[in-house]
Amino acid sequence: MKSKIIHFLKLAFPYISVIILWRLSVVFWNPAGILAIIPIFYCSFVKPIPWFAPFAIIFCFLIDYKFDSLFYWTAAYCIFYAINGFQSFIDLSRLDKNALQIFMVFFGISTLILSFMNFNFSIFIKSVWLFAWVSTLYIPITALIQKVCDDR
């Protein structure tokens, strides 16, 4: 019985981590729950989990809701999902550091476009901070997910 519960928790951990990171939104450290984009990216592209994409789209929409951005993160996710589906040159699951460079490209371009939509120097500085903070937390969060879900 105990092993079934542990197995269930290992399977549910990526979903639970997205929910927790989205709910723990704080204006400076986790605005609109944007840290939830880390497990969304990791579990969708680097270590794909079956049927995670619909869940990821829902939570990208919820991030948009909290950000007051109309389908921005949802569209960015769907565009990257389509690009990743059509390309065959880069295998994200085999890249080092859990594909940190690709995540930085995805998140950096998305944040840059979002900051230029209503350009202001303070918004630009906040975007740079957000990019640096989320990119720094990518490795620990993905390592935790990998450690918990290692024996799938």
Side-chain angles (χ1 to χ4, degrees):
M1 180 67 175
K2 183 178 176 182
S3 66
K4 287 184 180 184
I5 294 172
I6 291 172
H7 179 69
F8 171 76
L9 290 175
K10 285 183 178 189
L11 291 176
F13 186 75
Y15 300 95
I16 294 169
S17 66
V18 170
I19 294 168
I20 289 172
L21 288 172
W22 178 74
R23 284 291 295 156
L24 291 176
S25 63
V26 179
V27 175
F28 186 72
W29 299 106
N30 187 12
I34 195 65
L35 288 178
I37 206 80
I38 295 171
I40 287 171
F41 181 88
Y42 181 74
C43 296
S44 294
F45 304 116
V46 182
K47 300 288 184 199
I49 296 174
W51 295 99
F52 193 81
F55 180 80
I57 290 171
I58 290 169
F59 270 88
C60 285
F61 175 76
L62 291 174
I63 291 170
D64 284 329
Y65 176 73
K66 279 191 172 183
F67 248 124
D68 288 333
S69 58
L70 186 62
F71 294 111
Y72 181 75
W73 289 104
T74 308
Y77 173 81
C78 290
I79 289 169
F80 193 81
Y81 194 86
I83 290 170
N84 187 46
F86 285 121
Q87 66 90 21
S88 61
F89 298 110
I90 302 171
D91 185 12
L92 296 180
S93 62
R94 296 187 188 272
L95 292 178
D96 61 338
K97 298 180 186 171
N98 294 331
L100 173 64
Q101 298 85 1
I102 305 297
F103 175 77
M104 289 174 70
V105 168
F106 162 72
F107 192 74
I109 291 172
S110 300
T111 306
L112 186 66
I113 291 170
L114 191 60
S115 69
F116 282 134
M117 284 183 175
N118 188 13
F119 186 74
N120 184 335
F121 186 71
S122 66
I123 291 174
F124 183 72
I125 294 300
K126 287 178 185 177
S127 297
V128 169
W129 156 252
L130 185 64
F131 173 75
W133 179 244
V134 172
S135 297
T136 302
L137 289 178
Y138 181 80
I139 295 292
I141 291 173
T142 57
L144 179 65
I145 294 170
Q146 191 175 21
K147 184 80 172 165
V148 171
C149 304
D150 61 353
D151 61 340
R152 280 199 177 172

